[in-house]
Amino acid sequence: MIVMKFGGSSVANAERIRHVASIIQAYKESRPIVVLSAMGDTTDHLLEAADLAVKGKVDIAKIEDLHFKTAKELDIQVPAIAELLDELKTLLTGISMLRELTKRTRDYLVSFGERMSVRMMAAYLNKLGTEARHYDAWDIGMVSDSNYMSAELLDEVWQEIPRHLNSYKNGTDKAIPIITGFIAKDKKGIITTLGRGGSDLSATMIGSALGAEEIQTWKDVDGILTADPRIVAEAHTVPEVTYEEAQELAMFGSQVLHPRSMIPCRKTGTPVRVKNSYNIKSPGSIIVEEHHSARPQVTAITTVKNVTLIDIQSSRMLGASGFLAHIFNQFLKWEISIDVIATSEVSVSLTVNGNKDLGGLLEDLGRVAEVRAKKGKAIVTIICDAGHSSSILADVFASLKNEGINVQMISQGASKVNISMLVENADADRTVKILHSALFK
């Protein structure tokens, strides 16, 4: 048994649904369970409809057109989608009357995308003669807390998922389950969404709970690459990475899996394979607990742009008990996450998302320290075996010196699988190219 996860771009229209259906059929003997996101831009269109509803106007034309047009092109009848669209209109009418959109209502609203997507795919597979059945996540035991827009799955899902899908697992039910990603229900039966990486988490949770042979996430590249191919044309596939390396890649800009989605896999050791939906014969990349072959010194290079560097210096409090605690408490207060940090006896330097409003944070920090914020920076991260950091950094600094690129900050992660450095935004892509050339000889 395997779990196959397809994102919204993979099921964006009739042509893409046909293609994904052919992939599912190609893996039929592996007894797949399929997890789907909403079709294309449906989630964005739902949120646009919500904004209009708050202003008093109900309009779902974009959503209706996409789903009715797709069903027509696939030559299928999906009355369940028409029913969901009626339910959506009713919800938006209520929002337009109240002129208010709560987090709870927003979760209910965006759930329509995934719910329509799985009904479309199941109907089309059945038309092709491949028995399939759609499930909303709660139908298979996906129960969460009530933290709307960013819910966490409860521990009981480990027992509930196998209980609900046991007949498929033991082979008595032949219909391929097509399951909504991203959504769940809380204990009161209210729809929730799982926040960032929610569909990935749905897939890894289902696969881990069922003891699947592997979890496949399908993208448009041949697995995990040594760098972004839009930056480095000669980037190549990395056959194998560990969960830890994949988490670091995701944290620092690579579109692999969201770090939180790795948690169920790490608990059970279930491997995750990143596959290319345009090249299904390619083995892609596999994510495992430990390397089965020799660990490479450098695995990949990635970058996050538009970050802000904050330098903090306090002659009054530095070295004093509680100084760092005070700094971190301010970040907690303003709900701002730190990406990279470096400290010395006289200063603390750290980076944050450049799109965040830092006014309140900087004001609070300024009461006990001298603070400077510098925008327009980029983090370049080398995912590597940091046990060889001396030789890796020797190559890094030699190559960057030759090209006149100045590193403004450097940090080696506690995980020992990454080295991050800060450069100017304008130098980010060139830095990645230079380092890729130097480290992948």
Side-chain angles (χ1 to χ4, degrees):
M1 178 186 293
I2 62 173
V3 173
M4 309 174 78
K5 180 258 176 179
F6 296 92
S9 61
S10 294
V11 290
N13 52 41
E15 179 185 359
R16 298 300 298 138
I17 288 174
R18 288 191 190 99
H19 183 63
V20 169
S22 71
I23 295 173
I24 295 169
Q25 288 180 310
Y27 280 84
K28 189 176 177 181
E29 296 307 311
S30 298
R31 303 189 59 248
I33 293 173
V34 180
V35 176
L36 296 183
S37 297
M39 289 181 61
D41 296 326
T42 298
T43 300
D44 289 338
H45 292 157
L46 285 165
L47 292 172
E48 288 171 12
D51 290 340
L52 285 174
V54 170
K55 297 173 184 175
K57 182 180 179 182
V58 175
D59 182 2
I60 62 168
K62 288 181 181 177
I63 302 159
E64 279 186 327
D65 289 348
L66 173 63
H67 290 82
F68 286 153
K69 178 184 176 183
T70 301
K72 184 177 180 180
E73 289 181 14
L74 295 174
D75 191 26
I76 54 176
Q77 299 293 322
V78 194
I81 288 180
E83 292 172 9
L84 285 174
L85 288 169
D86 286 341
E87 184 182 339
L88 174 60
K89 284 180 186 174
T90 301
L91 173 62
L92 289 169
T93 300
I95 294 170
S96 71
M97 294 173 69
L98 293 172
R99 302 293 178 99
E100 181 183 29
L101 182 67
T102 64
K103 288 185 176 182
R104 170 175 161 174
T105 304
R106 184 187 182 279
D107 277 5
Y108 178 20
L109 175 85
V110 298
S111 74
F112 284 90
E114 276 73 14
R115 292 157 72 193
M116 290 189 287
S117 177
V118 297
R119 285 157 175 80
M120 189 81 73
M121 181 62 75
Y124 183 61
L125 284 169
N126 281 309
K127 181 205 169 190
L128 297 178
T130 298
E131 191 177 356
R133 182 178 303 114
H134 72 263
Y135 292 91
D136 293 325
W138 45 86
D139 296 331
I140 63 146
M142 296 285 265
V143 185
S144 75
D145 60 21
S146 301
N147 184 23
Y148 303 112
M149 293 176 59
S150 190
E152 294 290 345
L153 295 171
L154 301 182
D155 287 344
E156 64 194 66
V157 299
W158 288 96
Q159 291 76 44
E160 289 299 305
I161 291 171
R163 184 171 70 83
H164 284 86
L165 291 176
N166 186 57
S167 58
Y168 181 73
K169 183 177 181 179
N170 65 27
T172 56
D173 185 352
K174 304 297 184 185
I176 296 172
I178 314 294
I179 304 170
T180 56
F182 184 57
I183 60 177
K185 274 186 177 179
D186 66 12
K187 286 282 197 178
K188 299 178 231 176
I190 297 166
I191 294 173
T192 61
T193 61
L194 303 179
R196 291 184 62 198
S199 289
D200 288 337
L201 177 59
S202 299
T204 57
M205 186 68 248
I206 292 167
S208 299
L210 289 170
E213 179 184 337
E214 68 180 28
I215 299 155
Q216 299 175 349
T217 179
W218 289 79
K219 300 183 178 293
D220 57 1
V221 292
D222 280 339
I224 298 168
L225 302 181
T226 51
D228 187 333
R230 295 169 296 184
I231 298 174
V232 181
E234 59 271 26
H236 55 270
T237 303
V238 181
E240 180 184 76
V241 301
T242 64
Y243 297 126
E244 192 172 40
E245 290 168 336
Q247 283 181 312
E248 295 289 339
L249 276 167
M251 287 296 293
F252 290 101
S254 181
Q255 299 297 314
V256 187
L257 292 178
H258 192 276
R260 69 199 284 254
S261 69
M262 300 283 183
I263 296 171
C265 303
R266 298 195 73 167
K267 185 173 180 177
T268 59
T270 307
V272 180
R273 191 177 295 276
V274 183
K275 296 273 288 177
N276 187 352
S277 59
Y278 295 97
N279 183 14
I280 69 172
K281 291 184 179 179
S282 168
S285 303
I286 192 161
I287 306 172
V288 292
E289 185 63 44
E290 295 181 352
H291 283 284
H292 295 132
S293 53
R295 181 181 181 182
Q297 279 197 22
V298 179
T299 300
I301 303 167
T302 187
T303 185
V304 179
K305 298 176 184 175
N306 302 315
V307 304
T308 297
L309 171 65
I310 301 176
D311 289 323
I312 304 165
Q313 187 169 351
S314 174
S315 56
R316 177 163 59 91
M317 284 193 71
L318 255 165
S321 175
F323 175 60
L324 287 177
H326 177 80
I327 290 174
F328 294 139
N329 280 335
Q330 304 315 308
F331 283 85
L332 176 63
K333 171 185 174 182
W334 292 98
E335 298 182 344
I336 295 173
S337 297
I338 298 168
D339 296 320
V340 174
I341 184 168
T343 64
S344 74
E345 185 62 27
V346 294
S347 66
V348 178
S349 296
L350 45 83
T351 65
V352 298
N353 185 317
N355 296 320
K356 291 284 188 179
D357 179 3
L358 302 177
L361 170 68
L362 296 178
E363 184 179 340
D364 282 351
L365 289 172
R367 293 192 178 98
V368 296
E370 196 176 303
V371 183
R372 292 185 304 276
K374 302 171 186 175
K375 295 188 175 183
K377 309 297 181 182
I379 301 168
V380 175
T381 298
I382 304 167
I383 304 301
C384 60
D385 179 357
H388 297 277
S389 59
S390 295
S391 61
I392 292 169
L393 287 172
D395 289 339
V396 165
F397 286 119
S399 60
L400 294 181
K401 178 186 175 183
N402 292 338
E403 296 294 334
I405 292 177
N406 183 44
V407 174
Q408 301 171 30
M409 172 179 162
I410 189 163
S411 176
Q412 182 173 313
S415 64
K416 306 303 181 189
V417 300
N418 92 64
I419 298 171
S420 293
M421 59 195 73
L422 198 71
V423 299
E424 294 291 339
N425 248 356
D427 291 331
D429 288 357
R430 192 159 65 98
T431 300
V432 172
K433 289 179 183 178
I434 293 166
L435 294 184
H436 194 277
S437 178
L439 298 173
F440 291 98
K441 299 171 183 175

